Amino acid sequence: MNNTIRFCITFSVLLFTQFAIAQDKSKADSSFKPSGKLWGYTFGDYYYKAHSDSLNRGGGNQYTGIEKGRNAFQIRRVYLGYTYDIAPKFTAELLLAAEDNITTSTGITSGDLLADNKLSLYIKLANLRWKNIWKGTDLSVGQVATPAFPLVTEPIWGYRAVERTVADIRRTPSFDLGAALQGKFDSNGNFGYNLMVGNGTGAKPENDKFKWFYGDVFAKFLDKRVVVDVYADYQRLNATATWHHSRHMIKGFLAYTTPAFTVGVEAFINHGQNDVVGVKTLQRDTISANAKAVSAYVKGSIVKDKLGFFTRMDNYNPDVNYDSNLYSSYKGLTGNYEPNNKELFFTAGLDFTPVKNVHFIPNVWYNRYTSNESGLSGSAYRDHDLVYRLTFYYVYR
C-alpha cells in the first residue's frame, strides 16, 4: 500500500468521524433553523484619461491601451452573493461576479464580456465550509478565497474599489478551486493560519497536472492594532527533462491600524524559475528572474464616518537580475511578469460617505513605466498613464 492510498484512507476516516460528531451535535441543537443571507457590492467610476503611455505598457493594468482623452462611465465590479447556514457546522457560499469591462483603443476587450461586449456574471465562489473540523480550524472545499491577500491584507487596505493590492496587480489568484484550511491558534483570533491547495486557474477548469500551493500565518498585537502577515506560495508551470518552469512568491505585510488612522506596508519577492528568455543576436537563453515590489499606504478619517483620505505608492521591479549589457532584450514567459519595464504606481483621494455603505471617492490614478533596456530615450525610456476618476462604491447586505 503506497503513501497516497494511506493518506486517502486516513483522511476519509477523519472526515467520517468528524461527520458523525457533527451529526450528533446537530441533533442535540434542536433550536437551530437553517437560514441564508443575500449580500454584495458594486463599484465603478467616471474616468478621464489625461495621459497615455506611448508604448501601451502595463499588461493587465486597468488603463493600458486606453487612449489619451477617453472619458467614460464604467462599472468595474458587481458582486452578488448568498451565504446559507445548512447546519450549525456547515455553511455554503455562492458568489456571482462581473468585473473589469474595458475596450482598448485598438479594439481589444477584457473583463467578463459576452460576444456582444456586454458585461456578464460568472461563478467566482462556490464552496462548502465545515466549521471546527478540529478545534479552531475550518475546512472549505470548492471555489474559495485564497490566502494570498483577500483574508488579511486586502480588508486592511480597504480600497479595492480604487486599486488591487500589489500582489493582486500581478494576478496572484484571489480565488481558486480546491481545498483550504483556515485556523486560529487562540480563542481571540490574534494568531492564525490559512493553507490551501488549488488548481491555480481561478474560475477556469484545470488545464494541466500541476497544483498551486498557498499558505500564510498572521499575528495581531496591541489589541489588534498591529497586524503582521507572512505569505508564501508555489506553482510548477511545466517540467520536462530539460526545462523546470515554476514560480513561487514570498510576501510580508505589516500594518498599524485604528478606526481613525492606518499605515501599511506590503512587499513581495516572486521567483520565476526559468521564466525569462534572454535575447542576444541569434542566441536565446532561458533564465530565472526575481521580481520585487513594495507597496506603502496611509489612510485615515478627516470627519468621523463621513470623510476620509488615502494615499498609496507602489514600486515594482520585474527582474532585479536584469542585465542590458548581457542581453539586448528579455522576453517573459508569464504574462503578468513582463521583464522589460519597472513601474511606479501612485494613487490618492478622498472618501465621502453620505450614509453607511455608500461611498463617493474622487481620486487620481498614476502609473509610470521606466524601461530596463539600454540605449532608449524620451517616452520609449520613460512614460506614464494618468487618470482622474470619481469612483462610486456601495454595499448591500
Side-chain angles (χ1 to χ4, degrees):
M1 185 182 294
N2 62 36
N3 291 332
T4 301
I5 296 176
R6 289 194 185 96
F7 173 79
C8 291
I9 293 175
T10 302
F11 191 66
S12 298
V13 171
L14 174 63
L15 290 180
F16 180 79
T17 302
Q18 292 295 324
F19 178 74
I21 295 172
Q23 286 291 96
D24 289 341
K25 289 183 178 180
S26 179
K27 291 177 181 178
D29 187 5
S30 59
S31 63
F32 174 81
K33 301 295 182 184
S35 61
K37 179 177 69 174
L38 191 69
W39 62 276
Y41 64 80
T42 295
F43 61 73
D45 325 275
Y46 172 77
Y47 74 84
Y48 173 74
K49 185 78 177 284
H51 185 86
S52 186
D53 173 52
S54 59
L55 299 182
N56 288 331
R57 288 167 284 197
N61 289 346
Q62 289 185 35
Y63 299 103
T64 296
I66 302 298
E67 73 276 16
K68 178 181 177 180
R70 172 143 1 144
N71 64 95
F73 292 96
Q74 176 193 8
I75 289 179
R76 287 189 288 115
R77 172 177 281 182
V78 177
Y79 268 11
L80 181 61
Y82 187 70
T83 304
Y84 188 77
D85 293 323
I86 301 171
K89 296 193 68 171
F90 291 90
T91 296
E93 180 182 34
L94 176 67
L95 174 61
L96 303 179
E99 302 175 284
D100 298 334
N101 185 2
I102 282 285
T103 301
T104 70
S105 58
T106 58
I108 297 174
T109 60
S110 65
D112 305 317
L113 306 179
L114 300 172
D116 59 3
N117 286 344
K118 292 180 180 178
L119 195 60
S120 179
L121 292 166
Y122 73 98
I123 298 174
K124 187 162 189 174
L125 298 179
N127 59 76
L128 177 68
R129 176 179 294 269
W130 189 337
K131 303 173 187 176
N132 281 309
I133 188 169
W134 58 77
K135 187 177 180 180
T137 296
D138 294 353
L139 169 69
S140 290
V141 179
Q143 212 150 277
V144 63
T146 73
F149 48 84
L151 303 179
V152 179
T153 63
E154 186 176 85
I156 294 176
W157 159 233
Y159 282 102
R160 174 60 184 87
V162 173
E163 185 51 275
R164 305 168 187 265
T165 66
V166 67
D168 193 8
I169 288 175
R170 299 301 141 196
R171 301 306 189 266
T172 306
S174 63
F175 66 99
D176 204 357
L177 182 57
L181 292 173
Q182 299 174 359
K184 296 180 174 62
F185 298 118
D186 67 315
S187 59
N188 294 322
N190 289 322
F191 304 93
Y193 69 94
N194 302 286
L195 302 173
M196 183 174 177
V197 57
N199 290 335
T201 54
K204 299 177 182 178
E206 177 65 287
N207 55 15
D208 58 35
K209 61 183 179 181
F210 307 117
K211 294 293 173 284
W212 195 306
F213 299 91
Y214 313 77
D216 84 317
V217 291
F218 63 86
K220 301 176 182 180
F221 306 97
L222 300 179
D223 196 25
K224 301 187 178 183
R225 291 191 295 271
V226 175
V227 181
V228 180
D229 182 78
V230 178
Y231 165 85
D233 64 27
Y234 175 82
Q235 182 191 31
R236 178 172 289 185
L237 300 168
N238 209 334
T240 66
T242 57
W243 185 35
H244 178 93
H245 187 201
S246 64
R247 51 144 318 279
H248 67 84
M249 176 183 285
I250 297 174
K251 180 168 67 73
F253 173 76
L254 174 65
Y256 178 82
T257 180
T258 69
F261 180 81
T262 294
V263 57
V265 178
E266 189 169 10
F268 72 71
I269 299 176
N270 191 81
H271 177 73
Q273 182 72 24
N274 295 319
D275 193 47
V276 171
V277 176
V279 179
K280 181 168 55 176
T281 60
L282 299 179
Q283 181 180 342
R284 303 288 189 273
D285 294 332
T286 304
I287 53 181
S288 298
N290 287 319
K292 291 186 178 181
V294 178
S295 175
Y297 58 85
V298 177
K299 65 175 185 176
S301 174
I302 299 173
V303 178
K304 185 179 179 182
D305 299 328
K306 291 296 180 183
L307 184 64
F309 74 93
F310 62 88
T311 183
R312 170 179 149 188
M313 181 175 288
D314 299 356
N315 196 326
Y316 169 69
N317 187 338
D319 186 3
V320 297
N321 302 322
Y322 197 105
D323 188 347
S324 59
N325 295 317
L326 186 59
Y327 297 102
S328 59
S329 65
Y330 287 69
K331 178 183 178 182
L333 299 178
T334 301
N336 300 316
Y337 286 88
E338 182 277 317
N340 292 300
N341 296 281
K342 300 172 186 170
E343 297 182 22
L344 180 68
F345 170 74
F346 172 79
T347 187
L350 298 174
D351 181 1
F352 172 54
T353 308
V355 295
K356 184 179 179 181
N357 292 331
V358 174
H359 302 260
F360 293 96
I361 309 171
N363 63 94
V364 59
W365 189 102
Y366 170 89
N367 206 33
R368 188 187 74 186
Y369 311 98
T370 303
S371 177
N372 281 322
E373 298 182 54
S374 61
L376 299 179
S377 61
S379 61
Y381 169 65
R382 177 172 289 171
D383 206 349
H384 65 275
D385 287 316
L386 174 62
V387 183
Y388 299 110
R389 304 189 299 189
L390 175 60
T391 298
F392 57 89
Y393 167 49
Y394 54 94
V395 181
Y396 34 93
R397 64 178 80 218

